[in-house]
Amino acid sequence: MFVYISRRILATIPVMAVVALFVFSLLYIAPGDPAAVIAGDQASPADVEKIRQSLGLDRPFLVQFGEWVWKLVHFDLGTSIFTGLPVTALIAQRIEPTLSLMIVTLILAVSIAVPLGVMAAWQVGTWIDRAIMAFAVFGFSVPVFVVGYLLAYFFALELEWLPVQGYTPIAQGLWPWFENLILPSIALGCVYIALIARITRATMLEVLQQDYVRTARAKGVSQGGILFVHALKNAAVPIVTVIGIGIALLIGGAVVTESVFAIPGLGRLTVDAILRRDYPVIQGLVLLFSFVYVLVNLAIDLVYTLVDPRIRY
Amino acid sequence: MDRRDFIKAGAGMSALAASGLSAPALSQGVAAKTLRFVPQANLANFDPIWGTQYVVRNAAAMVWDTLYGVDDKLVPQRQMAESEEVSADGLTWTFKLRSGLKFHDGTPVLARDCVASLARWSARDPMGLMLKAIQEELVAVDDTTFRWKLKKPYPKMLLALGKNNAPCTFIMPERIAKTDPFTQISEYIGSGPMKFVRGDWVPGAKAVFERFADYVPRSEPASWLAGGKKMLVDRIEWLIMPDPATASAALQNGEVDWWENPIADLVPVLKRNRNIRVDIGDPLGNIGAFRLNHLHPPFNDVRARRALLMALNQEDFMRAIVGSDDNLWKPLPGYFTPGTPLYNEEGGEILKGPRDIEGAKKLLAESGYSGQPITMVVAQDQPITKAQGDVAADLLKKLGMNVDFVATDWGTTGQRRAVKAPPAQGGWNIFFSWHAGADCINPASYTAIRANGDGAWFGWPNIPAVEQQVTNWFDAKNIDEEKVAMRALNKAALDNVVFVPPGFFLGYTAWRSNVSGIVKGPLPFFWGVSKS
């Protein structure tokens, strides 16, 4: 197992290198000028050009790429063109809100979606099943920002129960931290609740047809025991897979959620960096996201061995 | 009592029990001393000379002080300067600093700091560049006095040192001001009324300023950048909110105190809330810019440019930008900011009266236009440029022009507009922008009105008649001479169409009713603002 994990982690390096080269090339080819944004609209063309030169943006592609790779092998993600701050510092500032949002969303989604999926499978064909699946369709269909605005309107503006926007670091208290995450987590979680609930239902329905479930029933095992001990464990592999994919997708969903709720996370950092053509920040973030994606896949593989002992590496 | 109040009260009771202090009163005091502000844009960098975006200038005005500052009559008044003397020949200016000025690191402000700061500023600012071109010497005479010796008189010296358009003459410590003007500074030490809290800065999300206890305001009442900059709050937090609906909701439920530029669509909602005040933010507003490339056909021919003026309906453009609120726009038969002393409409008849589409078509044909594509670069991520682009595309089509509408983003527009090559080779014919009215009160800070060919703003108009009047204005000895030059300038600029002015528009600002002291101006002034 140790060899397997080491091999998988080492395999991330060429993957990230290819991704980085692709992103670097794409940004270089794409139009857009950070110097023009920095200089402001009143600046003369000569000023814009001088800023471009001072940032090294007038140098050939290979020189810029070589310098970036050289820094990277020294574990240096570079410096933001706009802020002059190290990219690692910018990412460090923003990682806690995004991680918090993802973790709370995931806990919320799994704790609601799995029981809903099991319930729908158990009550298949009834109004309960139809209601749960209708909710799932709603969750899929309504964009995150619409749910976000509706939640903010009712729970923050009308009822004044929760804040509209912002993020409080966990170091400043568990409740203030959680209070700011409730609405964004629900908004972001809707689609994942729907996704996980549908997969859970489908997988459970399949498992509930298996012989060993019939045997368990014949032996007099309770309904709860059948559903949560015998069936759910055997349905876990696809559910774990979809949860894992969901984690990666959460990064994309966080971009919109963080904007709607003014959360200073990696999603907003990414959008800001792209709009301003802050190349070192974009490259650093892409590398980070690639790494997270690879790690999540690795974690899913490892969880498979826990839920299904037949799977071995 | 709602749920949040209940929880807060519970927390307050716990704190009271634990500390023995009166927690609710304490927290109320802290809240009243912190002003939470939503700025127009993200404060992504903080060097007001290196990056000249308005948002950087606005934040910098709290942290760095200036030698002079314009008041609400646009007249430069002494700020850090105690006095100035100009020699009889107008060539030597001697400035003396007021006593007791300190930087945020505790060091005194000295003349050599001013010299280094002015040298850095004059490498970037249009007026600074003019001064640099005629500079004989700029030296510190002693700790509180410095001298600027020129080769020819520069009557606009005090305006240059006190103007509010970016870059302003912010005074920094010498060691920081010696940074190359095209390289960003990394220390944000000023002598202004607020200190920048570097440790709390989250670029793209939050910027924090704290009151500078050692700041000595002038004794005169504050007026824009002039007078006593008395801070009535201890802390100002800038909270960047990219989404207007979120900013609106945060203002409505009291999570923020002041939103610099609410979008017109949300203003009716804010006006209905009795806890919110809404008013025009900047009386100097903005001037739209429908920019033409003078290097390539058809707009290298003045007849093609004039055809646009004949056909264009400013109301169409302005309504596309501000909606149906007639308080927010004015027709602009000229280039300068309405309501300011040098505003005039000389030569503006072409923009008044019924629009003449047929006449414009005829003029366009005379210019030699025969259906070649017109490359119009339109930034879709800026509502103002998008609105102008959509209306302009419709106008050009009505004139029988073949529009190549390039829908893109602001960053790309910024890059493409610098390309001088023909449109077919990556260049352009038209792009859109807008200029703050504060920058358009005279030619000193109005980069877009200049028509000095390669040295001009994007589009590179080369019109000696315009440049002559710019020179006349700079050389004017009094307001009457200035007015004569400005009338001639407006006419020359319209006759030759430096760019197409699609109109003048204003924007709102909104704040909670427990905030007082907000004044209308070209930037948000935080001195004199208090919160109860």
Side-chain angles (χ1 to χ4, degrees):
Chain A
M1 183 65 82
F2 175 76
V3 174
Y4 170 73
I5 293 172
S6 305
R7 210 171 56 226
R8 285 292 299 268
I9 289 174
L10 284 175
T12 63
I13 294 171
V15 171
M16 289 195 300
V18 171
V19 170
L21 174 62
F22 180 70
V23 170
F24 196 94
S25 309
L26 209 61
L27 284 171
Y28 191 85
I29 295 163
D33 187 2
V37 181
I38 289 163
D41 213 28
Q42 293 297 307
S44 69
D47 279 359
V48 174
E49 188 51 39
K50 280 180 188 165
I51 290 178
R52 191 178 293 120
Q53 285 169 11
S54 76
L55 294 170
L57 297 171
D58 59 329
R59 293 173 303 169
F61 168 77
L62 283 178
V63 174
Q64 291 188 50
F65 183 66
E67 188 179 76
W68 182 70
V69 171
W70 179 250
K71 280 183 178 168
L72 200 61
V73 296
H74 291 85
F75 301 102
D76 178 1
L77 288 176
T79 306
S80 160
I81 288 172
F82 279 79
T83 63
L85 297 171
V87 174
T88 45
L90 288 172
I91 290 175
Q93 272 182 336
R94 304 298 195 94
I95 205 160
E96 188 196 311
T98 299
L99 269 182
S100 300
L101 180 61
M102 287 174 67
I103 289 168
V104 174
T105 303
L106 207 63
I107 291 171
L108 185 85
V110 173
S111 58
I112 293 174
V114 173
L116 279 183
V118 172
M119 176 78 78
W122 177 35
Q123 298 291 329
V124 64
T126 67
W127 69 268
I128 295 173
D129 178 30
R130 285 197 293 272
I132 291 170
M133 285 307 101
F135 171 75
V137 171
F138 174 83
F140 267 131
S141 316
V142 183
V144 172
F145 68 89
V146 173
V147 179
Y149 289 137
L150 288 174
L151 290 171
Y153 179 75
F154 284 110
F155 294 101
L157 275 183
E158 290 296 310
L159 298 171
E160 296 184 20
W161 284 1
L162 292 161
V164 170
Q165 54 82 37
Y167 174 78
T168 307
I170 198 164
Q172 290 180 27
L174 197 61
W175 173 249
W177 169 79
F178 186 61
E179 187 185 41
N180 275 112
L181 289 172
I182 296 172
L183 295 183
S185 299
I186 294 172
L188 182 56
C190 274
V191 67
Y192 300 106
I193 292 170
L195 180 70
I196 297 167
R198 283 174 68 98
I199 293 291
T200 305
R201 177 184 178 272
T203 316
M204 286 291 287
L205 279 177
E206 195 180 318
V207 171
L208 288 172
Q209 309 299 320
Q210 299 294 318
D211 290 345
Y212 65 84
V213 172
R214 197 177 303 117
T215 306
R217 280 208 179 96
K219 284 164 66 182
V221 177
S222 67
Q223 190 64 39
I226 289 170
L227 287 173
F228 291 100
V229 179
H230 289 77
L232 186 57
K233 194 175 176 189
N234 285 290
V237 168
I239 297 171
V240 166
T241 306
V242 81
I243 290 171
I245 293 167
I247 292 172
L249 292 174
L250 274 172
I251 296 172
V255 172
V256 177
T257 314
E258 286 174 5
S259 285
V260 169
F261 291 97
I263 295 170
L266 292 172
R268 272 180 65 193
L269 182 64
T270 309
V271 172
D272 289 347
I274 290 170
L275 288 176
R276 292 196 306 253
R277 304 294 195 277
D278 198 345
Y279 302 133
V281 177
I282 301 168
Q283 287 146 6
L285 286 164
V286 169
L287 277 185
L288 176 72
F289 294 148
S290 313
F291 189 59
V292 168
Y293 204 88
V294 171
L295 283 187
V296 166
N297 275 307
L298 174 62
I300 293 168
D301 285 349
L302 297 180
V303 171
Y304 285 166
T305 65
L306 298 177
V307 297
D308 187 348
R310 291 170 299 181
I311 299 173
R312 282 287 174 267
Y313 296 102
Chain B
M1 176 179 281
D2 61 32
R3 192 201 58 85
R4 293 184 75 190
D5 290 339
F6 179 77
I7 291 166
K8 282 175 192 161
M13 291 291 282
S14 306
L16 192 65
S19 65
L21 292 171
S22 176
L26 186 70
S27 63
Q28 196 177 42
V30 170
K33 292 290 183 184
T34 300
L35 185 76
R36 292 156 305 176
F37 174 76
V38 182
Q40 55 176 267
N42 171 24
L43 185 70
N45 57 74
F46 200 26
D47 181 342
I49 304 298
W50 180 70
T52 58
Q53 302 105 315
Y54 294 132
V55 68
V56 180
R57 183 267 319 260
N58 298 353
M62 286 189 278
V63 174
W64 288 282
D65 214 346
T66 50
L67 292 163
Y68 293 79
V70 290
D71 62 14
D72 60 6
K73 309 273 186 307
L74 298 164
V75 177
Q77 307 288 352
R78 291 170 190 153
Q79 189 50 236
M80 295 170 79
E82 179 69 49
S83 64
E84 69 286 325
E85 265 182 42
V86 57
S87 61
D89 59 6
L91 295 180
T92 304
W93 289 80
T94 307
F95 298 92
K96 196 163 181 60
L97 292 172
R98 73 186 156 103
S99 59
L101 297 175
K102 272 187 193 170
F103 284 116
H104 300 154
D105 59 4
T107 58
V109 179
L110 303 175
R112 63 170 183 263
D113 299 313
C114 302
V115 167
S117 299
L118 291 173
R120 188 166 189 258
W121 162 81
S122 63
R124 292 296 306 276
D125 182 74
M127 291 183 89
L129 285 165
M130 295 174 81
L131 276 162
K132 200 176 171 188
I134 57 170
Q135 177 178 307
E136 182 77 41
E137 65 169 5
L138 173 60
V139 291
V141 177
D142 56 38
D143 278 355
T144 58
T145 313
F146 67 94
R147 185 173 61 229
W148 209 337
K149 210 169 169 185
L150 308 174
K151 292 171 186 162
K152 61 175 272 199
Y154 192 75
K156 304 291 185 290
M157 173 64 90
L158 298 187
L159 178 64
L161 299 182
K163 68 189 178 60
N164 57 22
N165 69 293
C168 298
T169 54
F170 295 120
I171 302 300
M172 303 174 175
E174 184 187 34
R175 69 175 190 285
I176 301 171
K178 281 191 165 171
T179 308
D180 180 278
F182 293 97
T183 303
Q184 189 177 181
I185 59 170
S186 54
E187 267 189 283
Y188 311 115
I189 305 289
S191 65
M194 298 296 281
K195 294 189 287 187
F196 185 60
V197 186
R198 174 73 185 260
D200 286 357
W201 185 31
V202 182
K206 188 162 94 168
V208 177
F209 309 86
E210 279 178 354
R211 195 162 67 85
F212 178 38
D214 287 341
Y215 183 75
V216 183
R218 296 189 71 91
S219 54
E220 306 93 344
S223 175
W224 286 13
L225 287 172
K229 298 175 179 174
K230 289 180 184 154
M231 298 308 306
L232 304 178
V233 292
D234 289 336
R235 185 178 164 95
I236 296 172
E237 292 180 356
W238 280 29
L239 303 167
I240 288 88
M241 294 192 196
D243 181 63
T246 309
S248 165
L251 184 69
Q252 288 177 69
N253 80 347
E255 287 177 42
V256 297
D257 304 306
W258 182 5
W259 181 14
E260 185 181 0
N261 62 337
I263 60 171
D265 293 352
L266 292 171
V267 164
V269 177
L270 298 176
K271 279 183 171 173
R272 280 200 297 272
N273 189 319
R274 62 191 167 86
N275 295 317
I276 292 173
R277 303 278 176 272
V278 181
D279 202 351
I280 298 296
D282 176 7
L284 299 179
N286 302 280
I287 288 172
F290 178 159
R291 196 83 192 171
L292 308 172
N293 193 335
H294 290 236
L295 298 182
H296 306 295
F299 300 120
N300 59 349
D301 189 310
V302 69
R303 289 170 293 186
R305 301 197 298 268
R306 285 184 68 81
L308 296 181
L309 293 190
M310 288 170 75
L312 162 130
N313 183 354
Q314 291 187 327
E315 185 173 347
D316 293 343
F317 281 82
M318 293 297 99
R319 286 199 183 282
I321 291 174
V322 301
S324 57
D325 189 340
D326 284 337
N327 296 318
L328 291 181
W329 72 275
K330 285 180 188 172
L332 183 68
Y335 290 98
F336 295 96
T337 309
T340 55
L342 299 172
Y343 174 77
N344 71 88
E345 298 179 1
E346 197 77 20
E349 291 70 26
I350 194 167
L351 282 163
K352 299 175 184 174
R355 305 290 72 208
D356 186 359
I357 296 283
E358 290 310 312
K361 280 181 179 172
K362 194 162 166 276
L363 201 56
L364 199 57
E366 285 173 20
S367 77
Y369 177 71
S370 55
Q372 65 265 41
I374 302 295
T375 303
M376 183 185 281
V377 183
V378 185
Q380 303 289 294
D381 55 340
Q382 303 279 340
I384 295 171
T385 53
K386 183 181 185 312
Q388 292 184 88
D390 290 345
V391 177
D394 180 57
L395 171 71
L396 264 60
K397 283 173 190 163
K398 279 180 187 159
L399 291 175
M401 300 183 94
N402 177 13
V403 179
D404 173 21
F405 191 97
V406 181
T408 183
D409 62 280
W410 186 243
T412 306
T413 304
Q415 187 178 44
R416 187 153 181 185
R417 70 185 181 180
V419 177
K420 287 185 174 176
Q425 293 165 33
W428 56 278
N429 292 112
I430 295 171
F431 79 91
F432 303 89
S433 183
W434 72 98
H435 308 291
D439 293 347
C440 307
I441 55 177
N442 60 46
S445 47
Y446 199 169
T447 316
I449 199 72
R450 300 297 301 273
N452 50 338
D454 280 349
W457 208 53
F458 307 99
W460 308 281
N462 191 347
I463 307 166
V466 168
E467 283 300 294
Q468 181 56 55
Q469 296 309 326
V470 171
T471 305
N472 290 350
W473 179 81
F474 272 106
D475 291 341
K477 304 280 189 305
N478 55 51
I479 187 73
D480 292 333
E481 284 184 22
E482 286 190 23
K483 283 182 176 174
V484 170
M486 287 287 280
R487 281 197 293 272
L489 174 54
N490 199 64
K491 184 170 188 322
L494 277 170
D495 285 350
N496 294 283
V497 197
V498 173
F499 68 95
V500 177
F504 171 82
F505 59 96
L506 296 152
Y508 283 112
T509 193
W511 65 95
R512 300 279 302 175
S513 52
N514 63 334
V515 175
S516 55
I518 290 174
V519 297
K520 295 180 183 184
L523 58 148
F525 298 111
F526 293 93
W527 31 90
V529 174
S530 62
K531 187 180 160 191
S532 58

